[in-house]
């Protein structure tokens, strides 16, 4: 389990994490009616910085809009809360900030509009959810919930039961994580990371209409690859394309960029991280740490 920092933001102020609670009678608990994002906080030469904060906030607000929650969260308020939380804790290493809007109304029934909400932030130690050296994946017996049932592009707590089922099934079968397919058998993503394959020097990844979460790391990697003159195609992908790919990797805030070395007992690139994967991994980690000046605009000083 990751270490959780002991000061959290809730109800407009910083409180001990034990006091940052929502009621058992709230929609957040009853129906998983909360939307969230997890963003990286990285130490720089002159203090802590947050990665792609505006994009995380935009996705959070869009998630709330899809669900039909009424929220009013400005960038100023969001950053202010993040700074208060960071300052209240003693942070020197890379950290993840989980920022959530909860529907806190008590027993309103199954609806979303016009209900009370609250915003929370807590920080926890940044660690990779996949083995750093490379992951072994299994096709999930559970299909990705389609956009017409529970929208994947909305990061809603309740929807993560789907991810829990898939990852637990993979772990029970001796794998590190699952590959979700959509209802017609096309590749979506992992339980909490997006997926790319490399074939003939080009990157391919499921497009935004493939029932995926629109990952911020995914969009960063598409940009980095194009800037490195690597072709990127966003399209519908068959499972067997992964089996015959030259390289496969997963990406996400908590998955960083992790090579995929085996899928359903088939080795990828003879079980070794590929050259394009390694180049992108090095670049992505430099950008995240603010070591590449060309992408400094992605980092906000806290
Ligand atoms: N897909 C799912 C289902 C996820 O939960 C995550 C993690 N947020 C991702 C992809 C990767 O998104 P990001 O790069 O924004 O962390």
């Amino acid at each position: 389990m990751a270490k959780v920092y002991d000061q959290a933001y809730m109800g407009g102020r910083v409180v001990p994490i034990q006091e940052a609670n929502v009621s058992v009678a709230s929609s957040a608990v009853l129906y998983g009616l909360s939307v969230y994002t997890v963003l990286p906080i990285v130490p720089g030469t002159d203090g802590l910085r947050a990665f792609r904060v505006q994009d995380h906030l935009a996705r959070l607000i869009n998630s709330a809009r899809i669900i039909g929650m009424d929220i009013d969260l400005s960038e100023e308020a969001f950053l202010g809360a993040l700074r208060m939380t960071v300052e209240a804790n003693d942070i020197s290493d890379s950290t993840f900030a989980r920022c959530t809007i909860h529907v806190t109304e008590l027993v309103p029934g199954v609806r979303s509009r016009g209900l009370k909400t609250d915003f929370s932030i807590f920080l926890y130690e940044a660690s990779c959810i996949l083995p750093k050296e490379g992951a072994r994946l299994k096709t999930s017996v559970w299909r990705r919930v389609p956009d017409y049932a529970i929208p994947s592009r909305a990061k809603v707590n309740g929807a993560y039961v789907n991810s829990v089922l898939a990852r637990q099934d993979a772990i029970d079968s001796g794998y590190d994580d699952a590959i979700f397919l959509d209802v017609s058998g096309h590749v979506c993503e992992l339980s909490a990371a997006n997926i790319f394959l490399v074939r003939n020097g080009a990157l391919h990844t499921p497009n935004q209409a493939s029932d995926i979460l629109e990952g911020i790391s995914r969009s960063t990697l598409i940009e980095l690859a194009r800037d490195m003159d690597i072709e990127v195609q966003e399209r519908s992908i068959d499972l067997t394309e992964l089996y015959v790919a030259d390289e496969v990797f997963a990406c996400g805030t908590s998955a960083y960029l992790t090579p995929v070395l085996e899928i359903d007992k088939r080795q990828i690139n003879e079980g070794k991280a590929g050259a394009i994967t390694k180049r992108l991994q090095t670049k992505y980690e430099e950008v995240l740490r603010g070591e590449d000046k060309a992408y400094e605009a992605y980092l906000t000083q806290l």
Side-chain angles (χ1 to χ4, degrees):
M1 307 297 158
K3 173 191 162 181
V4 177
Y5 285 86
D6 59 14
Q7 299 295 312
Y9 182 91
M10 185 86 193
R13 61 201 181 97
V14 171
V15 295
I17 185 96
Q18 307 88 297
E19 291 170 27
N21 300 320
V22 293
S23 166
V24 291
S26 67
S27 290
V29 172
L30 295 178
Y31 314 120
L33 210 55
S34 301
V35 292
Y36 80 99
T37 195
V38 175
L39 62 92
I41 294 174
V42 272
T45 42
D46 45 3
L48 296 167
R49 303 195 275 189
F51 188 66
R52 296 195 67 171
V53 127
Q54 292 77 8
D55 300 296
H56 278 278
L57 175 59
R59 186 175 66 187
L60 186 68
I61 288 172
N62 282 336
S63 294
R65 181 173 297 147
I66 291 170
I67 298 306
M69 291 162 57
D70 303 313
I71 57 149
D72 176 22
L73 183 61
S74 66
E75 185 179 326
E76 202 186 352
F78 184 77
L79 266 177
L82 193 58
R83 289 195 171 109
M84 274 169 75
T85 318
V86 164
E87 273 161 26
N89 291 284
D90 183 20
I91 291 165
S92 47
D93 290 331
S94 289
T95 307
F96 291 145
R98 184 162 176 132
C99 312
T100 309
I101 304 167
H102 311 268
V103 176
T104 50
E105 192 88 31
L106 306 187
V107 206
V110 283
R111 61 194 184 92
S112 56
R113 218 173 288 288
L115 306 178
K116 263 196 299 193
T117 60
D118 205 348
F119 175 54
S120 76
I121 303 178
F122 70 85
L123 308 175
Y124 60 104
E125 171 193 19
S127 62
C128 190
I129 54 170
L130 296 171
K132 273 250 147 191
E133 60 291 352
R136 297 172 55 253
L137 306 181
K138 171 189 181 288
T139 303
S140 174
V141 296
W142 302 96
R143 294 293 169 105
R144 187 82 179 113
V145 183
D147 188 64
Y148 56 73
I150 300 179
S152 329
R153 70 171 51 69
K155 214 163 160 41
V156 191
N157 282 16
Y160 274 80
V161 172
N162 194 207
S163 288
V164 169
L165 286 169
R167 186 164 160 111
Q168 189 61 56
D169 165 54
I171 293 169
D172 289 347
S173 306
Y175 286 86
D176 300 310
D177 206 334
I179 295 177
F180 266 131
L181 304 181
D182 67 13
V183 286
S184 62
H186 291 105
V187 175
C188 302
E189 57 186 333
L190 277 65
S191 64
N194 293 109
I195 191 162
F196 284 77
L197 66 87
V198 179
R199 206 166 177 196
N200 300 326
L203 284 187
H204 302 256
T205 192
N207 63 15
Q208 286 161 320
S210 296
D211 293 329
I212 60 168
L213 179 81
E214 296 176 351
I216 289 167
S217 320
R218 174 186 179 277
S219 89
T220 306
L221 280 159
I222 291 173
E223 182 184 345
L224 296 183
R226 290 190 172 137
D227 290 351
M228 289 159 84
D229 287 327
I230 300 169
E231 184 193 334
V232 185
Q233 285 190 31
E234 296 174 71
R235 60 179 180 80
S236 184
I237 290 185
D238 288 333
L239 173 62
T240 50
E241 287 186 80
L242 292 175
Y243 291 172
V244 298
D246 301 325
E247 305 176 27
V248 177
F249 62 83
C251 69
T253 300
S254 329
Y256 295 86
L257 192 163
T258 303
V260 173
L261 307 181
E262 190 187 314
I263 300 171
D264 299 336
K265 293 267 183 230
R266 289 147 180 97
Q267 280 202 330
I268 310 296
N269 193 38
E270 294 170 351
K272 294 194 283 287
I276 293 183
T277 301
K278 283 196 217 157
R279 273 177 69 202
L280 284 168
Q281 189 176 34
T282 306
K283 176 56 69 189
Y284 178 63
E285 287 180 13
E286 272 171 24
V287 169
L288 201 57
R289 290 194 298 264
E291 289 164 10
D292 187 332
K293 297 277 171 266
Y295 302 95
E296 234 181 9
Y298 277 156
L299 290 153
T300 301
Q301 200 72 39
L302 291 178

